[in-house]
Amino acid sequence: PSVDVVCTLRESLKSNKNYIFYCQSCGDVVVKDRKFLRVLPLPSENWSDLVEEWCCHPDPFARSTLHPQHGDCFLGDTFFLLNSENESHVSESPKSKENTRVICKRCKTMLGETVSSDTIKYYVTEVIIQLAEGSFSPTPRSQFVQSVVAQCLLELSSAKSTFRFTIKGDNGKTYILIWLLNSDTLLVESLGSSSSHSIFTPFGDILMPSSGPVETWNAVKVLYKPCIKCRNKDLAVAWENDMGVHPLKFPSETCLELLLILGLSTASLPPSLRCMNSFQV
């Protein structure tokens, strides 16, 4: 989908500006009129596993936690951390080790999870961030998920030369194995074809947006394998133990949405182009 649908968090979030965070699913206000003094990127989620390779003495970071203070926003690969600041716009599930989900009060969608008593993690697939002086403009769900995930893959492949990813849910399960094939694909469809117009998603929008007489979309081409219902279990274990594979964590429901989006995209291709080796395209 168009790059205009979503821009990177590092580009959209600036210090000393007021922002409002909306639930992407229903548009309800999640965080109201928040100004950040610092917007800082976090290291990779598995950074602590590499400390032994860096240090010749015991882990100096063992007791350190990277939690945002008042006025901080920390950016991860698929999430951002905020200081809760007694936020009242979302409801939390009952506190337990199994269930620390942060839920939208209006539509009950999972937006993130509590990391500590004063830190909330929000997933980039679940919220829209806009300047306080702007107005909320909804984006179709499947287009938003596609754009955000594609942006994550592009950023990580560029920064880390990583091209294989495991898509994990907040429950710890692996849902999809993704191999980024190329990032400069341009899809073109003439008016005579109606294939994409017939593909409606359960999210209420067409899989691909229209952009004029001849429809064109920038796209990333990926190979993928589903891992639900114990499919591709051995390969998933091998990828999880491979340092060259980068894990991406999203809410479990979003992982299923992404799997459905990938399946619909594959089904829109000619049969001869839907598979490569044992992967789907």
Side-chain angles (χ1 to χ4, degrees):
S2 169
V3 178
D4 296 335
V5 173
V6 62
C7 57
T8 66
L9 278 177
R10 286 168 178 76
E11 293 173 353
S12 62
L13 279 176
K14 306 290 184 183
S15 57
N16 295 313
K17 289 184 179 292
N18 290 335
Y19 292 96
I20 297 177
F21 293 32
Y22 299 91
C23 170
Q24 199 281 324
S25 297
C26 71
D28 197 28
V29 172
V30 175
V31 178
K32 188 175 183 180
D33 210 18
R34 181 76 67 89
K35 178 184 284 189
F36 299 114
L37 303 178
R38 301 190 302 171
V39 179
L40 302 172
L42 288 167
S44 301
E45 286 197 57
N46 60 349
W47 71 274
S48 57
D49 298 336
L50 304 175
V51 170
E52 290 182 2
E53 306 295 331
W54 301 340
C55 301
C56 58
H57 50 278
D59 183 359
F61 309 111
R63 296 184 180 180
S64 301
T65 54
L66 296 173
H67 287 176
Q69 303 302 310
H70 176 81
D72 288 346
C73 178
F74 291 172
L75 306 178
D77 292 336
T78 62
F79 63 89
F80 47 90
L81 299 180
L82 301 184
N83 189 282
S84 58
E85 299 185 13
N86 299 318
E87 201 61 62
S88 61
H89 303 283
V90 294
S91 58
E92 297 178 14
S93 301
K95 291 294 176 91
S96 70
K97 288 184 178 179
E98 295 79 21
N99 200 349
T100 56
R101 300 177 127 208
V102 175
I103 308 296
C104 173
K105 281 187 173 180
R106 180 192 286 175
C107 68
K108 308 306 179 186
T109 297
M110 177 188 173
L111 304 174
E113 53 196 81
T114 53
V115 177
S116 68
S117 59
D118 61 352
T119 302
I120 297 180
K121 173 196 286 186
Y122 291 105
Y123 288 102
V124 296
T125 52
E126 311 310 316
V127 295
I128 290 180
I129 306 168
Q130 294 189 342
L131 288 168
E133 58 262 26
S135 58
F136 176 73
S137 54
T139 303
R141 177 66 181 164
S142 68
Q143 291 182 31
F144 185 81
V145 172
Q146 287 183 81
S147 299
V148 169
V149 174
Q151 193 67 57
C152 287
L153 299 181
L154 289 176
E155 285 186 0
L156 289 167
S157 63
S158 175
K160 304 175 185 296
S161 295
T162 297
F163 303 97
R164 290 182 296 160
F165 305 88
T166 54
I167 306 297
K168 291 176 168 285
D170 61 283
N171 55 8
K173 294 182 180 179
T174 299
Y175 284 81
I176 318 169
L177 307 179
I178 290 184
W179 197 326
L180 178 61
L181 202 58
N182 59 35
S183 57
D184 56 356
T185 300
L186 181 67
L187 302 181
V188 181
E189 183 183 39
S190 68
L191 285 174
S193 171
S194 61
S195 60
S196 70
H197 298 286
S198 63
I199 302 177
F200 286 88
T201 73
F203 318 117
D205 59 307
I206 299 175
L207 184 63
M208 297 176 180
S210 173
S211 59
V214 175
E215 297 175 0
T216 60
W217 311 282
N218 292 315
V220 295
K221 184 181 287 186
V222 300
L223 309 180
Y224 70 96
K225 285 194 175 189
C227 295
I228 58 175
K229 298 181 179 178
C230 296
R231 295 171 65 185
N232 302 303
K233 189 175 182 180
D234 292 342
L235 184 61
V237 171
W239 278 34
E240 287 169 15
N241 295 326
D242 189 331
M243 290 295 290
V245 177
H246 194 84
L248 294 176
K249 183 179 176 183
F250 298 103
S252 301
E253 296 87 346
T254 302
C255 294
L256 293 173
E257 289 177 5
L258 178 59
L259 189 56
L260 179 60
I261 289 168
L262 287 168
L264 289 170
S265 179
T266 299
S268 70
L269 295 172
S272 61
L273 301 179
R274 294 177 187 174
C275 294
M276 180 178 289
N277 297 333
S278 59
F279 285 84
Q280 291 174 263
V281 181

